[in-house]
Coordinates of all heavy atoms in Angstrom, one line a residue:
M78 N 21.5 41.3 11.4 CA 22.5 40.4 11.0 C 22.0 39.0 11.2 O 21.4 38.7 12.3 CB 23.8 40.6 11.7 CG 24.9 39.8 11.2 SD 26.6 40.3 11.9 CE 27.2 41.0 10.4
K79 N 22.1 38.1 10.2 CA 21.7 36.7 10.3 C 22.6 35.9 11.2 O 23.8 36.2 11.2 CB 21.6 36.1 8.9 CG 20.6 36.8 8.0 CD 20.7 36.2 6.6 CE 19.8 37.0 5.7 NZ 20.1 36.6 4.3
K80 N 22.1 34.9 11.8 CA 22.9 34.0 12.6 C 23.8 33.1 11.7 O 23.3 32.5 10.8 CB 22.1 33.2 13.6 CG 22.9 32.2 14.5 CD 22.0 31.5 15.5 CE 21.2 30.4 14.8 NZ 20.5 29.6 15.7
I81 N 25.0 32.9 12.1 CA 25.9 32.0 11.4 C 26.1 30.8 12.3 O 26.2 30.9 13.5 CB 27.3 32.6 11.2 CG1 27.2 33.8 10.3 CG2 28.3 31.6 10.7 CD1 28.5 34.7 10.3
T82 N 26.0 29.6 11.7 CA 26.2 28.3 12.4 C 27.5 27.7 12.0 O 27.7 27.6 10.8 CB 25.0 27.4 12.2 OG1 23.8 28.0 12.7 CG2 25.3 26.1 13.0
M83 N 28.4 27.4 12.9 CA 29.6 26.8 12.6 C 29.7 25.4 13.2 O 29.4 25.3 14.4 CB 30.8 27.6 13.1 CG 32.2 26.9 12.9 SD 33.6 28.0 13.4 CE 34.4 27.0 14.5
I84 N 29.9 24.4 12.4 CA 30.0 23.0 12.9 C 31.4 22.7 13.0 O 32.2 22.9 12.1 CB 29.2 22.0 12.0 CG1 27.7 22.4 12.0 CG2 29.4 20.6 12.5 CD1 26.9 21.6 11.0
K85 N 31.8 22.2 14.2 CA 33.2 21.9 14.5 C 33.4 20.6 15.2 O 32.4 20.0 15.6 CB 33.9 23.0 15.3 CG 33.3 23.0 16.7 CD 34.2 23.9 17.6 CE 34.0 23.5 19.1 NZ 35.0 22.7 19.6
I86 N 34.6 20.1 15.3 CA 35.0 19.0 16.2 C 36.1 19.4 17.0 O 37.0 20.2 16.6 CB 35.2 17.7 15.4 CG1 36.4 17.8 14.4 CG2 34.0 17.2 14.7 CD1 36.8 16.5 13.8
P87 N 36.3 18.8 18.2 CA 37.4 19.2 19.1 C 38.7 18.8 18.5 O 38.8 17.7 17.8 CB 37.1 18.3 20.4 CG 35.7 17.9 20.3 CD 35.3 17.9 18.8
G88 N 39.7 19.6 18.7 CA 41.1 19.3 18.2 C 41.3 19.5 16.7 O 42.4 19.3 16.2
C89 N 40.3 20.0 16.0 CA 40.5 20.2 14.6 C 41.3 21.5 14.3 O 40.9 22.6 14.8 CB 39.1 20.4 13.9 SG 39.1 21.0 12.2
P90 N 42.4 21.4 13.6 CA 43.2 22.6 13.4 C 42.5 23.7 12.5 O 42.7 24.9 12.7 CB 44.5 22.1 12.8 CG 44.1 20.8 12.2 CD 43.0 20.2 13.0
Y91 N 41.7 23.2 11.6 CA 41.0 24.1 10.7 C 39.9 24.8 11.5 O 39.6 26.0 11.2 CB 40.4 23.4 9.5 CG 41.5 22.6 8.8 CD1 41.6 21.2 8.9 CD2 42.5 23.3 8.1 CE1 42.6 20.5 8.3 CE2 43.5 22.6 7.4 CZ 43.6 21.2 7.5 OH 44.6 20.6 6.9
C92 N 39.2 24.1 12.4 CA 38.2 24.8 13.3 C 38.9 25.9 14.1 O 38.3 26.9 14.3 CB 37.5 23.7 14.1 SG 36.6 22.5 13.2
A93 N 40.1 25.6 14.6 CA 40.8 26.6 15.4 C 41.1 27.8 14.6 O 41.0 28.9 15.1 CB 42.1 25.9 16.0
K94 N 41.5 27.6 13.3 CA 41.8 28.7 12.4 C 40.5 29.5 12.2 O 40.5 30.8 12.2 CB 42.3 28.2 11.1 CG 43.7 27.6 11.2 CD 44.2 27.0 9.9 CE 45.5 26.3 10.0 NZ 46.0 25.7 8.8
A95 N 39.4 28.9 12.0 CA 38.1 29.6 11.8 C 37.7 30.4 13.1 O 37.3 31.5 13.0 CB 37.0 28.6 11.4
K96 N 37.9 29.8 14.2 CA 37.6 30.5 15.5 C 38.5 31.7 15.6 O 38.0 32.8 16.0 CB 37.8 29.5 16.7 CG 37.5 30.1 18.0 CD 37.8 29.2 19.1 CE 37.4 29.9 20.4 NZ 38.3 29.7 21.5
K97 N 39.7 31.6 15.3 CA 40.7 32.7 15.4 C 40.2 33.8 14.4 O 40.2 35.0 14.7 CB 42.1 32.3 15.1 CG 43.1 33.4 15.1 CD 44.5 32.9 14.7 CE 45.5 34.0 14.5 NZ 46.8 33.6 14.0
A98 N 39.8 33.4 13.2 CA 39.4 34.4 12.2 C 38.1 35.1 12.7 O 38.0 36.3 12.5 CB 39.1 33.7 10.9
F99 N 37.2 34.4 13.2 CA 36.0 35.0 13.8 C 36.3 36.0 14.9 O 35.8 37.1 14.9 CB 35.0 34.0 14.3 CG 34.0 33.5 13.3 CD1 34.0 32.1 12.9 CD2 33.1 34.3 12.7 CE1 33.1 31.6 12.0 CE2 32.2 33.8 11.8 CZ 32.2 32.4 11.4
E100 N 37.2 35.6 15.8 CA 37.6 36.5 16.9 C 38.2 37.8 16.3 O 38.0 38.9 16.8 CB 38.5 35.8 17.8 CG 37.8 34.7 18.7 CD 38.8 33.8 19.4 OE1 40.0 34.0 19.3 OE2 38.3 33.0 20.2
E101 N 39.1 37.6 15.3 CA 39.8 38.8 14.7 C 38.8 39.7 14.0 O 38.8 40.9 14.2 CB 40.9 38.2 13.8 CG 41.7 39.3 13.2 CD 42.8 38.7 12.3 OE1 43.4 37.7 12.6 OE2 43.2 39.4 11.3
L102 N 38.0 39.1 13.1 CA 37.1 39.8 12.2 C 36.0 40.5 13.0 O 35.5 41.6 12.6 CB 36.6 39.0 11.1 CG 37.7 38.5 10.1 CD1 37.1 37.4 9.2 CD2 38.1 39.7 9.2
C103 N 35.5 39.9 14.1 CA 34.4 40.4 14.8 C 34.9 41.7 15.7 O 34.0 42.3 16.3 CB 33.8 39.4 15.7 SG 32.8 38.2 14.7
Q104 N 36.1 42.0 15.6 CA 36.6 43.2 16.2 C 36.3 44.4 15.3 O 36.3 45.6 15.8 CB 38.1 43.2 16.5 CG 38.6 42.1 17.4 CD 37.9 42.2 18.8 OE1 38.0 43.3 19.4 NE2 37.4 41.2 19.3
K105 N 36.0 44.2 14.1 CA 35.7 45.2 13.1 C 34.2 45.7 13.4 O 33.4 44.8 13.7 CB 35.7 44.7 11.7 CG 37.1 44.4 11.2 CD 37.1 44.0 9.7 CE 38.5 43.8 9.2 NZ 38.4 43.5 7.7
P106 N 34.0 47.0 13.4 CA 32.6 47.5 13.7 C 31.5 46.8 12.9 O 30.4 46.6 13.4 CB 32.7 49.0 13.4 CG 34.2 49.3 13.5 CD 34.9 48.1 13.1
E107 N 31.8 46.6 11.6 CA 30.7 46.0 10.8 C 30.3 44.6 11.1 O 29.3 44.1 10.7 CB 31.1 46.1 9.3 CG 32.3 45.4 8.9 CD 33.6 46.2 8.9 OE1 33.8 47.0 9.8 OE2 34.4 46.0 8.0
Y108 N 31.2 43.9 11.9 CA 30.9 42.5 12.2 C 30.7 42.4 13.8 O 30.5 41.3 14.3 CB 32.0 41.6 11.8 CG 32.3 41.7 10.3 CD1 33.6 41.7 9.8 CD2 31.3 41.7 9.3 CE1 33.9 41.8 8.5 CE2 31.5 41.8 8.0 CZ 32.8 41.8 7.6 OH 33.1 41.9 6.2
A109 N 30.8 43.5 14.5 CA 30.7 43.4 16.0 C 29.5 42.7 16.5 O 29.5 42.1 17.6 CB 30.9 44.8 16.5
N110 N 28.4 42.8 15.8 CA 27.1 42.2 16.2 C 26.9 40.9 15.7 O 25.7 40.4 15.8 CB 26.0 43.2 15.9 CG 26.0 44.5 16.6 OD1 26.5 44.5 17.8 ND2 25.7 45.6 16.0
A111 N 27.9 40.3 15.1 CA 27.7 38.9 14.5 C 27.3 37.9 15.6 O 27.9 37.9 16.7 CB 28.9 38.5 13.8
E112 N 26.3 37.1 15.2 CA 25.9 36.0 16.1 C 26.4 34.7 15.5 O 26.0 34.3 14.4 CB 24.4 35.9 16.3 CG 24.0 34.8 17.2 CD 22.4 34.7 17.3 OE1 21.7 35.6 16.7 OE2 22.0 33.7 17.9
V113 N 27.3 34.0 16.2 CA 27.9 32.8 15.7 C 27.6 31.7 16.7 O 28.0 31.7 17.8 CB 29.4 32.9 15.5 CG1 30.0 31.6 14.9 CG2 29.8 34.0 14.6
E114 N 26.8 30.7 16.2 CA 26.4 29.5 17.0 C 27.4 28.5 16.6 O 27.6 28.1 15.5 CB 25.0 29.1 16.6 CG 24.6 27.7 17.3 CD 23.3 27.2 16.7 OE1 23.0 27.3 15.6 OE2 22.6 26.5 17.5
V115 N 28.1 28.0 17.6 CA 29.1 26.9 17.4 C 28.5 25.6 17.9 O 28.2 25.5 19.0 CB 30.5 27.2 18.1 CG1 31.5 26.1 17.9 CG2 31.0 28.6 17.6
I116 N 28.5 24.6 17.0 CA 28.0 23.3 17.3 C 29.1 22.3 17.3 O 29.8 22.2 16.3 CB 26.9 22.9 16.4 CG1 25.7 23.8 16.4 CG2 26.4 21.4 16.7 CD1 24.6 23.5 15.4
D117 N 29.3 21.7 18.4 CA 30.4 20.6 18.5 C 29.7 19.3 18.0 O 28.8 18.8 18.7 CB 30.9 20.5 19.9 CG 32.0 19.5 20.0 OD1 31.9 18.4 19.5 OD2 33.0 19.8 20.7
E118 N 30.2 18.8 16.9 CA 29.6 17.7 16.2 C 29.6 16.4 17.2 O 28.6 15.7 17.2 CB 30.4 17.3 15.0 CG 29.8 16.2 14.2 CD 30.6 15.9 13.0 OE1 31.6 15.2 13.1 OE2 30.3 16.4 11.9
Q119 N 30.6 16.3 18.0 CA 30.7 15.1 18.9 C 29.9 15.3 20.2 O 29.4 14.4 20.7 CB 32.2 14.8 19.2 CG 32.9 14.4 17.9 CD 34.4 14.2 18.2 OE1 34.9 14.5 19.3 NE2 35.1 13.6 17.2
M120 N 29.9 16.5 20.7 CA 29.2 16.8 22.0 C 27.8 17.1 21.8 O 27.0 17.0 22.8 CB 29.9 17.9 22.7 CG 31.4 17.7 23.0 SD 31.7 16.3 24.1 CE 31.1 17.0 25.6
Q121 N 27.4 17.6 20.6 CA 26.0 18.0 20.4 C 25.4 17.4 19.1 O 24.9 18.1 18.3 CB 25.9 19.5 20.3 CG 26.4 20.2 21.6 CD 26.7 21.7 21.3 OE1 27.5 22.1 20.4 NE2 25.9 22.6 22.0
P122 N 25.5 16.1 19.0 CA 25.0 15.4 17.8 C 23.6 15.7 17.4 O 23.2 15.8 16.2 CB 25.2 13.9 18.0 CG 25.3 13.8 19.5 CD 25.8 15.1 20.0
E123 N 22.7 16.0 18.4 CA 21.3 16.3 18.1 C 21.2 17.6 17.4 O 20.2 17.8 16.6 CB 20.5 16.2 19.4 CG 20.7 17.4 20.3 CD 22.0 17.3 21.2 OE1 22.7 16.3 21.1 OE2 22.3 18.2 21.9
L124 N 22.1 18.5 17.6 CA 22.0 19.8 16.9 C 22.6 19.8 15.5 O 22.3 20.7 14.7 CB 22.8 20.9 17.7 CG 22.3 21.2 19.1 CD1 23.1 22.2 19.8 CD2 20.8 21.6 19.1
V125 N 23.3 18.7 15.1 CA 23.9 18.6 13.8 C 22.9 17.9 12.9 O 23.0 18.0 11.6 CB 25.2 17.7 13.9 CG1 25.8 17.5 12.5 CG2 26.2 18.4 14.8
T126 N 21.9 17.2 13.4 CA 20.9 16.5 12.6 C 20.4 17.3 11.4 O 20.3 16.7 10.3 CB 19.8 16.0 13.4 OG1 20.3 15.2 14.5 CG2 18.8 15.2 12.6
P127 N 20.0 18.6 11.5 CA 19.5 19.3 10.4 C 20.5 19.5 9.2 O 20.1 19.8 8.1 CB 19.1 20.6 10.9 CG 18.9 20.4 12.4 CD 19.9 19.3 12.7
Y128 N 21.8 19.3 9.6 CA 22.8 19.5 8.6 C 23.4 18.2 8.0 O 24.3 18.2 7.2 CB 24.0 20.3 9.2 CG 23.5 21.6 9.8 CD1 23.2 21.7 11.2 CD2 23.3 22.7 9.0 CE1 22.7 22.9 11.7 CE2 22.9 23.9 9.5 CZ 22.6 24.0 10.9 OH 22.1 25.2 11.4
N129 N 22.8 17.1 8.4 CA 23.3 15.8 7.9 C 23.2 15.7 6.4 O 22.2 16.1 5.8 CB 22.5 14.6 8.5 CG 22.8 14.4 10.0 OD1 23.8 14.8 10.5 ND2 22.0 13.6 10.6
G130 N 24.3 15.3 5.8 CA 24.4 15.2 4.4 C 24.7 16.5 3.6 O 24.9 16.5 2.4
K131 N 24.8 17.6 4.4 CA 25.1 18.9 3.8 C 26.6 19.2 3.8 O 27.0 20.2 3.3 CB 24.3 20.0 4.4 CG 22.8 19.9 4.2 CD 22.1 21.1 4.8 CE 20.6 21.0 4.5 NZ 19.9 22.2 5.0
Y132 N 27.4 18.4 4.6 CA 28.8 18.7 4.7 C 29.6 17.4 5.0 O 29.0 16.5 5.5 CB 29.1 19.8 5.8 CG 28.9 19.2 7.2 CD1 30.0 18.8 8.0 CD2 27.7 19.1 7.8 CE1 29.9 18.3 9.2 CE2 27.5 18.6 9.1 CZ 28.6 18.2 9.8 OH 28.5 17.6 11.0
Y133 N 30.9 17.5 4.8 CA 31.7 16.3 5.2 C 32.9 16.8 6.1 O 33.1 16.1 7.1 CB 32.3 15.7 3.9 CG 33.1 14.5 4.2 CD1 32.5 13.2 4.5 CD2 34.5 14.5 4.2 CE1 33.2 12.1 4.7 CE2 35.3 13.4 4.4 CZ 34.6 12.2 4.7 OH 35.4 11.1 5.0
Y134 N 33.5 17.9 5.7 CA 34.6 18.4 6.5 C 34.1 19.5 7.4 O 33.1 20.2 7.2 CB 35.7 19.0 5.6 CG 36.4 18.0 4.7 CD1 36.2 17.9 3.4 CD2 37.2 17.0 5.3 CE1 36.9 17.0 2.6 CE2 37.9 16.1 4.5 CZ 37.7 16.0 3.2 OH 38.4 15.1 2.4
V135 N 34.9 19.7 8.5 CA 34.7 20.8 9.4 C 35.9 21.7 9.4 O 37.0 21.3 9.1 CB 34.4 20.3 10.8 CG1 33.0 19.7 10.8 CG2 35.5 19.4 11.4
P136 N 35.8 23.0 9.7 CA 34.5 23.6 10.0 C 33.7 23.8 8.8 O 34.2 24.0 7.7 CB 34.9 25.0 10.6 CG 36.2 25.3 9.9 CD 36.9 24.0 9.8
S137 N 32.4 23.8 9.0 CA 31.4 24.1 8.0 C 30.6 25.3 8.5 O 30.2 25.3 9.7 CB 30.5 22.9 7.6 OG 31.2 22.0 6.9
L138 N 30.3 26.3 7.7 CA 29.6 27.5 8.1 C 28.3 27.5 7.3 O 28.3 27.4 6.1 CB 30.4 28.7 7.8 CG 31.8 28.8 8.4 CD1 32.6 30.0 8.0 CD2 31.8 28.7 9.9
F139 N 27.2 27.8 8.0 CA 25.9 27.9 7.4 C 25.2 29.1 7.9 O 25.4 29.7 9.0 CB 25.0 26.7 7.9 CG 25.5 25.3 7.5 CD1 26.5 24.6 8.2 CD2 24.9 24.7 6.4 CE1 26.9 23.4 7.7 CE2 25.3 23.5 5.9 CZ 26.3 22.8 6.6
I140 N 24.3 29.6 7.0 CA 23.3 30.7 7.3 C 22.0 30.2 6.8 O 21.8 29.8 5.7 CB 23.7 32.0 6.6 CG1 25.0 32.6 7.2 CG2 22.5 33.0 6.9 CD1 25.4 33.8 6.5
D141 N 21.0 30.1 7.7 CA 19.7 29.7 7.4 C 19.7 28.3 6.7 O 18.9 28.0 5.8 CB 18.9 30.7 6.5 CG 18.7 32.0 7.3 OD1 18.5 32.0 8.5 OD2 18.6 33.0 6.6
G142 N 20.5 27.4 7.2 CA 20.6 26.0 6.6 C 21.4 25.9 5.3 O 21.5 24.8 4.8
E143 N 21.8 27.0 4.8 CA 22.6 27.0 3.5 C 24.1 27.0 3.8 O 24.5 27.9 4.5 CB 22.2 28.2 2.7 CG 23.0 28.2 1.3 CD 22.7 29.5 0.5 OE1 21.7 30.1 0.8 OE2 23.5 29.8 -0.3
K144 N 24.8 26.1 3.3 CA 26.3 26.0 3.5 C 27.0 27.1 2.7 O 26.8 27.2 1.5 CB 26.8 24.7 3.1 CG 28.3 24.5 3.4 CD 28.8 23.1 3.2 CE 28.7 22.7 1.7 NZ 29.2 21.4 1.4
L145 N 27.8 27.9 3.4 CA 28.5 29.0 2.7 C 30.0 28.6 2.6 O 30.7 29.1 1.8 CB 28.4 30.3 3.4 CG 27.1 31.1 3.0 CD1 25.9 30.6 3.8 CD2 27.3 32.5 3.2
F146 N 30.5 27.7 3.5 CA 31.9 27.3 3.5 C 32.0 26.0 4.2 O 31.4 25.6 5.1 CB 32.7 28.3 4.3 CG 34.2 27.9 4.4 CD1 35.0 27.9 3.3 CD2 34.7 27.6 5.7 CE1 36.3 27.5 3.5 CE2 36.0 27.2 5.8 CZ 36.8 27.2 4.7
E147 N 32.9 25.2 3.6 CA 33.3 23.9 4.1 C 34.8 23.8 3.9 O 35.3 23.8 2.8 CB 32.6 22.7 3.4 CG 33.0 21.4 4.0 CD 32.2 20.2 3.3 OE1 31.2 20.5 2.6 OE2 32.6 19.1 3.6
A148 N 35.6 23.8 5.0 CA 37.0 23.7 5.0 C 37.5 22.4 4.2 O 36.8 21.4 4.2 CB 37.6 23.7 6.4
Q149 N 38.6 22.5 3.6 CA 39.2 21.4 2.9 C 40.6 21.1 3.5 O 41.3 22.1 3.9 CB 39.3 21.7 1.4 CG 38.0 21.9 0.8 CD 37.1 20.7 0.8 OE1 37.5 19.6 0.4 NE2 35.8 20.9 1.2
P150 N 41.0 19.9 3.6 CA 42.4 19.6 4.1 C 43.4 20.4 3.4 O 43.4 20.6 2.2 CB 42.5 18.1 3.8 CG 41.1 17.6 3.7 CD 40.3 18.7 3.1
G151 N 44.4 20.9 4.2 CA 45.5 21.7 3.7 C 45.3 23.2 3.6 O 46.2 23.9 3.2
Q152 N 44.1 23.7 3.8 CA 43.8 25.1 3.7 C 44.6 25.8 4.8 O 44.6 25.4 6.0 CB 42.3 25.4 3.8 CG 41.6 25.0 2.6 CD 40.1 25.3 2.6 OE1 39.5 25.2 3.6 NE2 39.6 25.7 1.5
D153 N 45.2 27.0 4.4 CA 45.9 27.8 5.4 C 45.0 28.8 6.0 O 43.8 28.9 5.7 CB 47.1 28.5 4.7 CG 46.7 29.5 3.6 OD1 45.5 29.7 3.4 OD2 47.6 29.9 2.9
Y154 N 45.5 29.5 7.0 CA 44.7 30.5 7.8 C 44.1 31.5 6.9 O 43.0 31.9 7.1 CB 45.6 31.1 8.9 CG 44.8 32.2 9.6 CD1 43.8 31.9 10.5 CD2 45.2 33.5 9.5 CE1 43.1 32.8 11.2 CE2 44.4 34.5 10.1 CZ 43.4 34.2 11.0 OH 42.7 35.1 11.6
E155 N 44.9 32.1 6.0 CA 44.4 33.2 5.1 C 43.2 32.7 4.3 O 42.2 33.5 4.1 CB 45.5 33.7 4.3 CG 46.6 34.5 5.0 CD 46.0 35.7 5.9 OE1 45.1 36.4 5.4 OE2 46.4 35.8 7.1
T156 N 43.2 31.5 3.8 CA 42.1 31.0 3.0 C 40.9 30.9 3.9 O 39.8 31.3 3.5 CB 42.5 29.6 2.4 OG1 43.6 29.8 1.6 CG2 41.3 29.0 1.6
I157 N 41.0 30.3 5.1 CA 39.9 30.2 6.0 C 39.4 31.5 6.4 O 38.2 31.8 6.5 CB 40.3 29.2 7.2 CG1 40.5 27.8 6.6 CG2 39.2 29.3 8.3 CD1 41.0 26.8 7.6
K158 N 40.3 32.4 6.7 CA 39.9 33.8 7.2 C 39.1 34.5 6.1 O 38.0 35.1 6.4 CB 41.1 34.6 7.5 CG 40.8 36.0 8.0 CD 42.0 36.8 8.3 CE 41.7 38.2 8.7 NZ 42.9 39.1 8.9
A159 N 39.5 34.3 4.8 CA 38.7 34.9 3.7 C 37.3 34.4 3.6 O 36.4 35.1 3.4 CB 39.5 34.7 2.4
A160 N 37.2 33.1 3.8 CA 35.9 32.4 3.8 C 35.0 32.9 5.0 O 33.8 33.1 4.8 CB 36.0 30.9 3.8
V161 N 35.6 33.0 6.1 CA 34.9 33.5 7.3 C 34.4 34.9 7.0 O 33.2 35.3 7.3 CB 35.8 33.5 8.6 CG1 35.1 34.2 9.7 CG2 36.0 32.0 9.0
E162 N 35.3 35.8 6.5 CA 34.8 37.2 6.2 C 33.7 37.2 5.1 O 32.8 37.9 5.3 CB 36.0 38.0 5.7 CG 35.6 39.5 5.6 CD 36.7 40.4 5.6 OE1 37.9 40.1 5.3 OE2 36.5 41.6 5.9
K163 N 33.8 36.3 4.1 CA 32.7 36.2 3.1 C 31.4 35.8 3.8 O 30.3 36.4 3.5 CB 33.1 35.2 2.1 CG 32.2 35.1 0.9 CD 32.6 34.2 -0.1 CE 31.6 34.0 -1.3 NZ 32.0 33.0 -2.3
T164 N 31.5 34.9 4.7 CA 30.3 34.5 5.5 C 29.7 35.6 6.3 O 28.5 35.8 6.4 CB 30.6 33.2 6.3 OG1 31.1 32.2 5.5 CG2 29.4 32.7 7.1
L165 N 30.6 36.4 7.0 CA 30.2 37.5 7.8 C 29.5 38.5 6.9 O 28.5 39.1 7.3 CB 31.4 38.1 8.6 CG 31.8 37.3 9.8 CD1 33.2 37.8 10.2 CD2 30.8 37.4 10.9
K166 N 30.0 38.8 5.7 CA 29.4 39.7 4.8 C 28.0 39.3 4.4 O 27.1 40.1 4.3 CB 30.3 39.9 3.6 CG 31.5 40.8 3.8 CD 32.4 40.9 2.6 CE 33.6 41.8 2.9 NZ 34.5 41.9 1.8
A167 N 27.9 38.0 4.1 CA 26.6 37.4 3.7 C 25.6 37.6 4.9 O 24.4 37.8 4.7 CB 26.7 36.0 3.3
A168 N 26.1 37.4 6.1 CA 25.2 37.5 7.3 C 24.7 38.9 7.5 O 23.6 39.1 8.0 CB 25.9 37.0 8.5
A169 N 25.5 39.9 7.1 CA 25.2 41.3 7.3 C 24.2 41.8 6.2 O 23.6 42.9 6.4 CB 26.5 42.1 7.2
E170 N 24.0 41.0 5.1 CA 23.1 41.5 4.1 C 21.7 41.5 4.5 O 21.2 40.7 5.2 CB 23.3 40.6 2.8 CG 24.6 40.8 2.2 CD 24.9 39.9 1.0 OE1 24.1 39.0 0.7 OE2 25.9 40.1 0.3

């Protein structure tokens, strides 16, 4: 399974939804071995450098430097969960 990188910021409600979705979905056997690297944009700016210009909103999900999802204002939990599951499926390929 490929590593997923999630870029987040503290206090972001959409990031919290993505985290909850990862926790829920990674209980499924097919995603149990998922590796999710969480980068805090404010606390770890040096780790965000390779992603500069590739996203605007958080959370943003990447595999091998390719963006698979970028949350948009107003998205509900189900929308974010579906995007997280799509990312997990891509990581499992």
Side-chain angles (χ1 to χ4, degrees):
M78 185 168 256
K79 298 174 190 167
K80 180 175 75 171
I81 298 167
T82 301
M83 178 174 124
I84 301 174
K85 70 168 201 96
I86 59 172
C89 168
Y91 306 106
C92 297
K94 290 175 186 178
K96 181 180 181 225
K97 178 182 173 186
F99 272 115
E100 289 170 355
E101 184 179 325
L102 291 165
C103 287
Q104 297 301 311
K105 293 183 175 186
E107 63 265 39
Y108 305 133
N110 294 325
E112 180 184 355
V113 182
E114 172 190 34
V115 179
I116 300 174
D117 184 315
E118 185 183 83
Q119 294 177 352
M120 301 295 289
Q121 302 166 296
E123 69 283 356
L124 297 180
V125 177
T126 302
Y128 304 96
N129 286 346
K131 294 184 177 182
Y132 74 99
Y133 184 78
Y134 293 111
V135 291
S137 286
L138 305 177
F139 294 85
I140 295 176
D141 295 331
E143 178 185 341
K144 181 173 66 177
L145 277 83
F146 174 69
E147 179 175 352
Q149 299 296 309
Q152 287 181 324
D153 62 9
Y154 175 71
E155 291 304 317
T156 302
I157 292 173
K158 181 180 175 184
V161 167
E162 186 158 25
K163 184 177 178 183
T164 304
L165 285 164
K166 285 179 182 176
E170 293 177 348

